[in-house]
Amino acid sequence: MPDLPSKTAPMAAGPRPAASPPPSTAKTEAPRVAVASLVGTTIEYYDFAVYGTASALVLGPAFFPSGNPTVSSLAAFLTFAAAFLSRPLGVVLFGTIGDRLGRRKALVASLLLMGVATVGVGLLPTYESAGLLAPVLLVTLRLLQGISMGGEWGGAVLLAAEHAPPGRRALYASIPQAGPSLGFLLSTAVILPTLNIVGRDGFVDWAWRIPFLLSTVLVVIGLWVRTTVSESPVFNATADRTTQPPAKASEVTSESASRFPLVTLLKRYPGRVLLGTGAAIGGSAVYYLTIVYSISYGPKELGIPQNTMLTAASIGAAAGIAITLPVARLSDRIGRRPVMLTGAVGCVVWAVPMYASLSSRDGLVITGAYTVGLMFLALMFSPVAAFLPELFPARLRYTGASAAFILANTLGGGFAPLVATWLNSHWESPLVLGFYTGTLCLLSLLCLLALPETRDQEFDI
């Protein structure tokens, strides 16, 4: 694997622009940018969480009717996985925009695309009224959601990290990392009251559309917030540098000259992309099996009340959010790897007990187990927001960080509900979920051991 980018890099002729804002500007701008990134990421993951929960509750029979409940669930989760298959296309599209035209432009476009696709799902006819056209349209909108998500995460954490003052990169980058859990909590805050008001039959019949349509308001707010913040100073500095004529040919780097960042990335840093993907794959499995799959599995297979599963996952997610910033601050002080390795070991050890708790059918036991598991997840996922971008130089950073994280999400998270459904059709025990998740977390542990510490890596190259 190639070495990390050196702390000095060839420069074009002329003075080098400042790579970070003055301290007085950073103190006011960095928090605003981090909050703007968090708002957008929360909205994107709200849209995704709404679909995941709706898949577990209603979308199978509404769009994929079958006499076999397992087949309907598999079909619904397959459309969930379809959005992950299109995420790499989002990496290519928005990574190119983000690395060549600016982080903010890419983020505004990704949020707009997600909003259009999510509201579209809420307006779709069901199989009963439109026949095969209904699932075709559903899959199409899911693919658009996936393309949007492919550009969201990398841009959000990158914009926050590149505005961060010295020594606090992980802290600011971790703020949008709370977005996935906040998005899930927000979706639950909409879905649970709706279920309680209209009942399960009413929700299945028509009210499932409400959370999707409410996305309109959230997207308008998110777009307003994102268009009011400034572009990344690191991007501006590197963009200015590449527009200056080089003093000699050797000063032109492949990163600055590349019109296709993904091509350059895969040529120069393939090992880093693969190891970065592996480092994040276990956490993705923990998140999606807990937040998406178990909400369906618990009620359908084990008879656990739906509200119990949603409450347990929500409390666990809230606990993870609560420690996200302290964990990130710790990684700014002692390094990314020690914190992430602790989380990976915890997830390996706790995976089986966490999902075994479902056999108890006791809400307190499940909530406690999920809370511990999602706190271990926070140890892995809070520092990764700075860790993955630090593995790549500035002109490939959006594409590189996005590629590693999105591949991990696709392989570890997108197919996790599908794989889990298949596993439980052969072995009727929640223990199989723990062994499956623990194996992927072990892979993450090994990849983290193979990667270097990045805390002191300079960020303006």
Side-chain angles (χ1 to χ4, degrees), residues 303-457:
I304 303 170
Q306 191 77 62
N307 285 4
T308 298
M309 292 304 307
L310 285 170
T311 300
S314 297
I315 292 174
I321 292 172
I323 68 169
T324 292
L325 295 185
V327 166
R329 192 70 186 107
L330 179 65
S331 79
D332 276 329
R333 291 176 177 172
I334 68 172
R336 321 301 187 213
R337 289 176 77 251
V339 178
M340 294 175 68
L341 285 169
T342 301
V345 171
C347 286
V348 170
V349 172
W350 192 247
V352 171
M354 178 167 65
Y355 295 112
S357 70
L358 296 174
S359 297
S360 72
R361 297 173 175 81
D362 186 301
L364 288 177
V365 173
I366 297 170
T367 299
Y370 273 28
T371 298
V372 173
L374 290 174
M375 290 177 75
F376 279 131
L377 173 63
L379 291 176
M380 292 180 68
F381 260 28
S382 180
V384 82
F387 181 67
L388 292 181
E390 287 166 347
L391 291 173
F392 305 99
R395 296 297 288 175
L396 299 175
R397 192 167 288 145
Y398 198 127
T399 303
S402 296
F405 190 80
I406 294 306
L407 282 174
N409 258 224
T410 300
L411 299 174
F415 289 99
L418 195 62
V419 172
T421 300
W422 181 84
L423 288 173
N424 280 122
S425 70
H426 290 76
W427 296 277
E428 297 180 358
S429 169
L431 289 177
V432 72
L433 303 180
F435 289 118
Y436 169 57
T437 307
T439 300
L440 291 181
C441 290
L442 179 60
L443 175 61
S444 289
L445 175 63
L446 296 175
C447 289
L448 283 169
L449 290 172
L451 284 165
E453 178 58 63
T454 61
R455 181 188 60 166
D456 297 324
Q457 178 64 33

Side-chain angles (χ1 to χ4, degrees), residues 244-296:
Q244 299 175 12
K248 51 187 178 181
S250 62
E251 290 179 347
V252 179
T253 65
S254 59
E255 286 88 347
S256 64
S258 175
R259 298 182 63 181
F260 302 102
L262 182 64
V263 174
T264 303
L265 177 77
L266 296 179
K267 284 182 179 179
R268 293 178 61 87
Y269 307 108
R272 213 172 302 166
V273 171
L274 289 175
L275 288 175
T277 298
I281 199 170
S284 295
V286 172
Y287 178 83
Y288 284 103
L289 285 179
T290 304
I291 298 301
V292 176
Y293 178 74
S294 67
I295 292 174
S296 170

Side-chain angles (χ1 to χ4, degrees), residues 171-256:
L171 176 65
Y172 282 89
S174 72
I175 292 176
Q177 276 294 77
S181 293
L182 281 175
F184 169 73
L185 291 176
L186 185 59
S187 72
T188 303
V190 173
I191 290 172
L192 270 181
T194 304
L195 274 169
N196 291 332
I197 292 171
V198 305
R200 187 177 180 90
D201 290 341
F203 190 85
V204 170
D205 186 40
W206 63 273
W208 63 270
R209 300 177 184 276
I210 293 175
F212 290 97
L213 298 178
L214 282 177
S215 180
T216 305
V217 178
L218 299 175
V219 169
V220 170
I221 295 172
L223 288 173
W224 175 76
V225 170
R226 281 195 168 172
T227 54
T228 60
V229 299
S230 63
E231 180 55 85
S232 158
V234 175
F235 174 81
N236 284 338
T238 55
D240 289 345
R241 191 185 314 163
T242 57
T243 61
Q244 299 175 12
K248 51 187 178 181
S250 62
E251 290 179 347
V252 179
T253 65
S254 59
E255 286 88 347
S256 64

